[in-house]
C-alpha cells in the first residue's frame, strides 16, 4: 500500500502548492501507516526533485521524456494511473490547479476510483470508511463525502493545507511507463504566462477592487498596494465585464475561487456571487464608503471611507511598517 | 457538426442554502432552479457554432422530471432537442457514465459542459466523460474555435493561458470568455414547448462517492472597524492579531 502524490512543475520548478500536496499526502500516509511516493512528469532537475524528500516523500518517480515536456492530460493521466497501480496506491493526491482539474478526474476514471475535489481537511479514516470534507454550493456549505471505492483520488486547493518540512530525503527513480500514442492527441501551441505578477489562485494575499473605483485609470493605487504587500490583484465581475481589468482577475461564483490568508476588498459591495469566490479567505479586510455594504458582514476588519483617501494612506502605512 | 451540451439543473445563485433530514439532504423548499451559469455559456457557444456550420445542438441532463423547466429553458436559448436521463444525479461518476453512454451511440463532434456546476463545484464531468470515451478533454476553457474538424482551445493556467489544438471529437468545459450567455426571447420560449425532449432510462452504474452530511461554514466573528484616519492601527492589527502581514 502507498499514497501517491502527483507533483506539478512550472517550467521545471515546483511551486508552493506542490509541497502542500506532498505534505497532505504525507499526513494521509501517516494515518494509513504507509509511505508517500511522489511522481513528477516533465523536465525537472535532480536537486528540485530532491526537495520533495524534505516534505516526506520517500521515493520520487521521475518521468521525463521529450514528448512529455508540455502538459497532455490524457498521457499524464495514463502515467499517474499506471504508477498508482504499480505502487498499489490506495490514495492518489493532486493539486486542484487548472491542470489538476483536467487530470484528476481522468486518473479517477481510469482507476474506477471515487474522487473528491478541493478536499478542505484531512480524510477521516476508520476501518473501511473514508470520509473527506469539501465545500459545496459555492462555499455556502461544507459537505462530508464518503468515498466507497478501494482506490481514492483527492485534490487539494492551493493555500488550503500548509506544507510541513520533515527533513527527510527521497530516492529518485527514473520511471518510463508505456503510453499509447493515442494519448497524445492534443498539441500545445502556445503558453502565455505573466512572469512579473503573482498568480491569483495561489496568492497568499489578494488585493481586489470593484466598481467603486470608477474606472480603469484608478487601478494604479491598487497595483501599488498589491506590490507593497507582495499580493496578487483581483476584481469583481462587472469590472472585468467592462474591460477595466482582464477576465483572469475576476473572482467569485463565475470566476476564480481564492482562499488567501488575506483578502482586501476595495469598493466592492459584497454581492453573494462575489462572496462565493472569496469567503474561505482566512482574513478579510473591507474598505467601502457605504457602512451598509453587505461585505462588512463577512469582514474581519473594515474601514468605512473613500477608497481614494484610504488606499494611499494604507500604502504609506504599510511602507512605514515594512521599513521597520 | 453535431454538438452535445451537458446541462445541470442548479439552485439559483442567490438561494439560501439549508439542509433537512438531520443535515443529510439539501432543502429544496422554496429554491428556484436555473441552468447552471457555465452551462449557459457552453450552450450559447454551441448555438453559435451550430449556426455557422449548419449543425445541431442536443442537450443532456441527468435528473428527474423536476429538471424539465430548466431543460425547456435550454431549448428556449436555442438547443434543437433535449435528452433527459431519468435518474437522480448521485455522483460525478454516475453522471459521467450516463453522458458517455449516450454520446457513444450518437457520434457527436463536440461535447460541451460547464467548467463546474455551482452546486457541487467539482469540475469533474468534462474530464471524466473524455476519459470514458477515450477522447481529449479540456476542463477550463476560456476560448474555443473550431475549423475543419480541428478545435483550438484557449485553456486557463495559473497566471496566464495555454492554447492547444486537437482533432474532434473533444470534450470541453467552458468558463467565462467562451461566449456571451444568450437570453431566450419570446419566440425561443414559445418554440421550446414543441421541441423534442426525450426521456431515456439510466444505465446501471454504482456511484463511487456519497455525500454523508452537510454543515454550514463556521460563522465569522463580527467586524472590527478602524477609523479612516487610523490606518496605522489596521496595519498593526493585521500584523499582530491576524498575523497575515
Ligand atoms: C449568475 C451571476 C453570477 C455572478 N458572478 C459574479 C462573480 O463571480 N463575481 C462577482 O464579483 N460578481 C458576480 N456577479 C455580480 C454580482 O451580483 C454583483 O453585481 C457584483 O459583484 C457587484 O460588483 P461591485 O461590488 O464591484 O459593484 P457594486 O455592487 O456597484 O458595488 C460598488 C461598491 O463600491 C462602493 N464605493 C463606491 N465608491 C466608493 C469609493 N469612492 N470608495 C469606497 N467604496 C466605494 C459602493 O458603496 C459599493 O458598495 C454575478 C451575478 C450573477 C447574476
Ligand atoms: N446532472 C447533470 N446532468 C447533465 N450534465 C451535468 C450534470 N451535472 C453536471 N453536469 C455537467 O458537468 C459540468 C461540470 O459539473 P461538475 O463536474 O459537477 O462541477 C456542468 O457544468 C454540466 O455541464
Amino acid at each position: 500500500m502507498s499514497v501517491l502524490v502527483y507533483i506539478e512543475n512550472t517550467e521545471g520548478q515546483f511551486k508552493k502548492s506542490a509541497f502542500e500536496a506532498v505534505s497532505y499526502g504525507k499526513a494521509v500516509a501517516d494515518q494509513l501507516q504507509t509511505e508517500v511516493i511522489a511522481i513528477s512528469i516533465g523536465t525537472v532537475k535532480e536537486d528540485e526533485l530532491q526537495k520533495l524528500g524534505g516534505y516526506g516523500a520517500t521515493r520520487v518517480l521521475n518521468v521525463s521524456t521529450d514528448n512529455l515536456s508540455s502538459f497532455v492530460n490524457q498521457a499524464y493521466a495514463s502515467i499517474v494511473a499506471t504508477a498508482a497501480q504499480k505502487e498499489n496506491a490506495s490514495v492518489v493526491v493532486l493539486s486542484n490547479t487548472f491542470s489538476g482539474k483536467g487530470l484528476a478526474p481522468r486518473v479517477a476514471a481510469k482507476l474506477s476510483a471515487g474522487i473528491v475535489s478541493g478536499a478542505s481537511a484531512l480524510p477521516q479514516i476508520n476501518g473501511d470508511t473514508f470520509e473527506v470534507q469539501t465545500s459545496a454550493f459555492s462555499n455556502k456549505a461544507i459537505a462530508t463525502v464518503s468515498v466507497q471505492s478501494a482506490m481514492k483520488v483527492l485534490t487539494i486547493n492551493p493555500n488550503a493545507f500548509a506544507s510541513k518540512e520533515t527533513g527527510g530525503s527521497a530516492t529518485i527513480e527514473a520511471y518510463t511507463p508505456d503510453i499509447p500514442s493515442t494519448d497524445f492527441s492534443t498539441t500545445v501551441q502556445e503558453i502565455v504566462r505573466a512572469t512579473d505578477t503573482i498568480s491569483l489562485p495561489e496568492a497568499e494575499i489578494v488585493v481586489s477592487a470593484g466598481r467603486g473605483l470608477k474606472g480603469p485609470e484608478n487601478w494604479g493605487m491598487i497595483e501599488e498596494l498589491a506590490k507593497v504587500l507582495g499580493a496578487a490583484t483581483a476584481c469583481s465581475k462587472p469590472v472585468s465585464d467592462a474591460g477595466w481589468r482582464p477576465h483572469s482577475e475576476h473572482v467569485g461564483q463565475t470566476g476564480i475561487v481564492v482562499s488567501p490568508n488575506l483578502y482586501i476588498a476595495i469598493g466592492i459591495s459584497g454581492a453573494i456571487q462575489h462572496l462565493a469566490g472569496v469567503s474561505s479567505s482566512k482574513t478579510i479586510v473591507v474598505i467601502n464608503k457605504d457602512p451598509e455594504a453587505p461585505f462588512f458582514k463577512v469582514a474581519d476588519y473594515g474601514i468605512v471611507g473613500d477608497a481614494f483617501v484610504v488606499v494611499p494612506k494604507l500604502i504609506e502605512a504599510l511602507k512605514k511598517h515594512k521599513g521597520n | 457538426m453535431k454538438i452535445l451540451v451537458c446541462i445541470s439543473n442548479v439552485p439559483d445563485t442567490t438561494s439560501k442554502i439549508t439542509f433537512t433530514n438531520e443535515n443529510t439532504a439539501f432543502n429544496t423548499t422554496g429554491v428556484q432552479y436555473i441552468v447552471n451559469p457555465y452551462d449557459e455559456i457552453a450552450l450559447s457557444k454551441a448555438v453559435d457554432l451550430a449556426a455557422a456550420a449548419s449543425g445541431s445542438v442536443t442537450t443532456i441532463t441527468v435528473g428527474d422530471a423536476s429538471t424539465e423547466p430548466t431543460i425547456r429553458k435550454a431549448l428556449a436559448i436555442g438547443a434543437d432537442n433535449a435528452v433527459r436521463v431519468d435518474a437522480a444525479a448521485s455522483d460525478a461518476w454516475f453522471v459521467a457514465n450516463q453522458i458517455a453512454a449516450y454520446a457513444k451511440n450518437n457520434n457527436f463532434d463536440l461535447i460541451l459542459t460547464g467548467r463546474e456546476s455551482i452546486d457541487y463545484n467539482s469540475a469533474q464531468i468534462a474530464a471524466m466523460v473524455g476519459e470514458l470515451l477515450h477522447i481529449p478533454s479540456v476542463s477550463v476553457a476560456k476560448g474555443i474555435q473550431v475549423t475543419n474538424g480541428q478545435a483550438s482551445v484557449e485553456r486557463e493556467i495559473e497566471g496566464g493561458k495555454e492554447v492547444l489544438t486537437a482533432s474532434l471529437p473533444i470534450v470541453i468545459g467552458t468558463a467565462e470568455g467562451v461566449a456571451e450567455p444568450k437570453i431566450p426571447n419570446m419566440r425561443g420560449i414559445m418554440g421550446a414547448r414543441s421541441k423534442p425532449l426525450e426521456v431515456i432510462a439510466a444505465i446501471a452504474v454504482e456511484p463511487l462517492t456519497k455525500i454523508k452530511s452537510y454543515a454550514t461554514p463556521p460563522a465569522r466573528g463580527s467586524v472590527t472597524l478602524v477609523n479612516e484616519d487610523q490606518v496605522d492601527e489596521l496595519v498593526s492589527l493585521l500584523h499582530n492579531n491576524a498575523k497575515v502581514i
Side-chain angles (χ1 to χ4, degrees), chain A residues 211 214 236-237 250-254 267 269 273-274 288 306-307:
Chain A
R211 205 145 55 178
K214 311 281 188 285
S236 66
K237 179 168 154 48
H250 149 209
V251 291
Q253 175 135 45
T254 48
S269 57
Q273 296 92 352
H274 185 86
N288 196 305
D306 185 337

Side-chain angles (χ1 to χ4, degrees), chain A residues 73 106 110 117 131 137-138 140 142 144 146 148 187 189-190 192 194 247 253-254 279 281 298 300 302, chain B residues 13 38 119 121-122 124 131 135 137 158-159 161 163 165 176 208 210 212-213 215 220 224 226 229 232:
Chain A
N73 65 345
R106 292 196 83 118
K110 273 190 190 291
S117 306
E131 294 172 2
F137 297 100
S138 308
K140 286 187 264 183
I142 298 165
T144 300
S146 145
Q148 286 152 340
T187 314
Q189 305 290 350
E190 189 191 0
V192 187
H247 266 301
Q253 175 135 45
T254 48
S279 62
S281 305
V298 297
D300 299 289
Chain B
T13 52
Y38 296 110
D119 47 5
N121 311 100
S122 64
Q124 293 171 356
E131 186 58 43
I135 61 175
S137 65
E158 279 69 21
K161 64 169 187 180
V163 179
T165 50
E176 284 247 318
L208 301 174
K210 185 178 186 312
K212 234 194 86 197
S213 63
R220 284 183 178 268
T224 302
V226 176
D229 298 322
D232 283 331

Side-chain angles (χ1 to χ4, degrees), chain A residues 46-198:
Chain A
E46 177 97 19
D47 56 344
E48 191 72 8
L49 292 169
Q50 212 35 274
K51 289 182 188 166
L52 302 173
Y55 292 86
T58 49
R59 291 160 58 213
V60 178
L61 308 180
N62 181 28
V63 189
S64 96
T65 50
D66 286 345
N67 56 353
L68 293 169
S69 54
S70 53
F71 179 70
V72 185
N73 65 345
Q74 270 177 289
Y76 276 43
S78 289
I79 294 168
V80 175
T82 308
Q85 273 157 337
K86 168 176 105 86
E87 300 298 342
N88 192 18
S90 50
V91 181
V92 181
V93 176
L94 303 94
S95 293
N96 200 18
T97 56
F98 289 111
S99 295
K101 286 185 167 78
L103 179 58
R106 292 196 83 118
V107 172
K110 273 190 190 291
L111 298 170
S112 297
I115 167 171
V116 179
S117 306
S120 54
L122 285 172
Q124 298 284 320
I125 308 171
N126 246 319
D128 279 346
T129 67
F130 188 103
E131 294 172 2
V132 199
Q133 289 193 334
T134 181
S135 75
F137 297 100
S138 308
N139 274 330
K140 286 187 264 183
I142 298 165
T144 300
V145 184
S146 145
V147 187
Q148 286 152 340
S149 50
M151 274 178 150
K152 286 108 182 157
V153 175
L154 304 179
T155 72
I156 57 163
N157 291 335
N159 214 34
F161 190 85
S163 61
K164 199 166 143 207
E165 289 188 66
T166 59
S169 70
T171 51
I172 315 239
E173 304 166 20
Y175 177 51
T176 43
D178 273 337
I179 305 304
S181 59
T182 47
D183 275 354
F184 291 90
S185 48
T186 57
T187 314
V188 174
Q189 305 290 350
E190 189 191 0
I191 292 180
V192 187
R193 214 189 298 269
T195 45
D196 56 333
T197 55
I198 294 163

Side-chain angles (χ1 to χ4, degrees), chain B residues 159-172:
Chain B
K161 64 169 187 180
E162 178 183 289
V163 179
L164 58 88
T165 50
S167 299
L168 302 180
I170 182 171
V171 190
I172 306 175

